[in-house]
Amino acid sequence: MNTKALRQKILDLAIHGKLVPQDPNDEPASVLLERIKAEKERLIKEGKIKRTKRSKAACDKPHYPFELPKGWCWCKLYDIVEFIGGYAYKSNTYVSKSDYQVIRIGNVKNDFLNLENLPVFVPETIGNQTAKYRIYENDILFTMTGTKGKRDYFFTTVVTKQGKILLLNQRVGCLRSFSTELNMNYLSMLLKGKYILDSIFSTETGNVSQGNIGSENTLNLFVALPPYVEQQRIVKKVNSFFDLLNVII
């Protein structure tokens, strides 16, 4: 059994709206999207976040990847989350142990944050000086650099509650929601979908061996947004299938 292909098939069915039934009583995603956009504008006016730079193609007539179920809507990733880039922590500031751990590319896997993989720490003074790079529960982390042409990066995981203070290193991206009405586990699943991976890796840059994904291209990805309650149903159903696969294998 090719479990990797089966997991991908489950994810793709989920983000196409074909894994769980739609409920006509659910509030349409378009209404949810307007609330999220309004919250984003409020944060921009208050100076808490910056307005996202749009790609040149953003003004063109959109070509949506596929037809959505009733109640869903298309948006761009920048409509619903902000991007936080990492900081270039210097190796000569690392200490052997601290409550402040720097999260590097090797710590971020699909659906798993491996804090034991070559962990590095910085002292409290540096942790406090770089507080704007702190990682919080429910953030999505993703890796932005890997081997060119191999698709061995753009791994995504949702951050769960941790005992340490986590800090964002360079080339690890962070996506933070504007609203509590966005299930970040659904969004993390969506970012693993085939249409997303095909789109983002078509923008890959870099040299012969190293590939890179940029923040602008990431934020300009099309997102298939379901109603909030359907997002929850999708996450529950996908997890139940994945749990079953884990038992089988």
Side-chain angles (χ1 to χ4, degrees), residues 14-176:
I15 63 177
H16 281 70
K18 296 180 179 179
L19 193 66
V20 300
Q22 280 72 54
D23 185 339
N25 295 315
D26 290 345
E27 179 187 73
S30 57
V31 179
L32 167 62
L33 180 59
E34 288 307 308
R35 283 201 300 274
I36 295 175
K37 285 182 175 181
E39 178 63 13
K40 177 184 176 182
E41 287 300 315
R42 182 184 70 80
L43 293 171
I44 290 172
K45 288 179 181 178
E46 292 178 359
K48 294 180 179 179
I49 64 172
K50 294 181 179 179
R51 192 172 300 280
T52 306
K53 182 180 178 181
R54 302 187 181 191
S55 68
K56 293 179 181 178
C59 297
D60 298 339
K61 185 178 180 180
H63 296 281
Y64 298 127
F66 50 87
E67 186 175 348
L68 292 177
K70 189 175 181 180
W72 290 42
C73 70
W74 287 109
C75 64
K76 288 295 187 78
L77 191 57
Y78 59 66
D79 289 321
I80 56 176
V81 294
E82 66 169 321
F83 170 84
I84 299 100
Y87 179 75
Y89 288 92
K90 294 179 172 58
S91 58
N92 62 7
T93 64
Y94 295 162
V95 294
S96 59
K97 196 171 183 180
S98 165
D99 288 333
Y100 294 79
Q101 182 169 353
V102 177
I103 298 302
R104 303 184 295 174
I105 288 176
N107 301 119
V108 181
K109 306 298 180 184
N110 271 335
D111 299 320
F112 178 48
L113 190 59
N114 186 356
L115 300 183
E116 305 305 318
N117 183 26
L118 301 175
V120 297
F121 306 90
V122 292
E124 183 178 358
T125 51
I126 293 178
N128 289 333
Q129 289 168 8
T130 58
K132 71 177 183 178
Y133 298 100
R134 285 188 186 181
I135 298 165
Y136 295 97
E137 185 179 1
N138 220 36
D139 285 345
I140 291 178
L141 302 183
F142 67 100
T143 53
M144 302 177 70
T145 295
T147 309
K148 192 166 187 180
K150 296 291 186 181
R151 294 197 178 194
D152 59 357
Y153 63 110
F154 202 68
F155 298 145
T156 61
T157 188
V158 180
V159 178
T160 56
K161 190 174 182 179
Q162 303 292 332
K164 292 182 172 61
I165 296 172
L166 306 182
L167 301 167
L168 194 67
N169 198 40
Q170 61 182 347
R171 304 310 299 162
V172 177
C174 176
L175 302 176
R176 188 167 294 158

Side-chain angles (χ1 to χ4, degrees), residues 190-221:
L190 181 139
L191 293 174
K192 298 177 183 69
K194 184 179 183 301
Y195 91 88
I196 288 284
L197 296 178
D198 288 346
S199 178
I200 196 62
F201 280 109
S202 72
T203 70
E204 184 181 44
T205 60
N207 55 33
V208 175
S209 59
Q210 180 176 295
N212 300 302
I213 294 299
S215 60
E216 183 178 335
N217 288 323
T218 301
L219 288 172
N220 275 281
L221 288 167

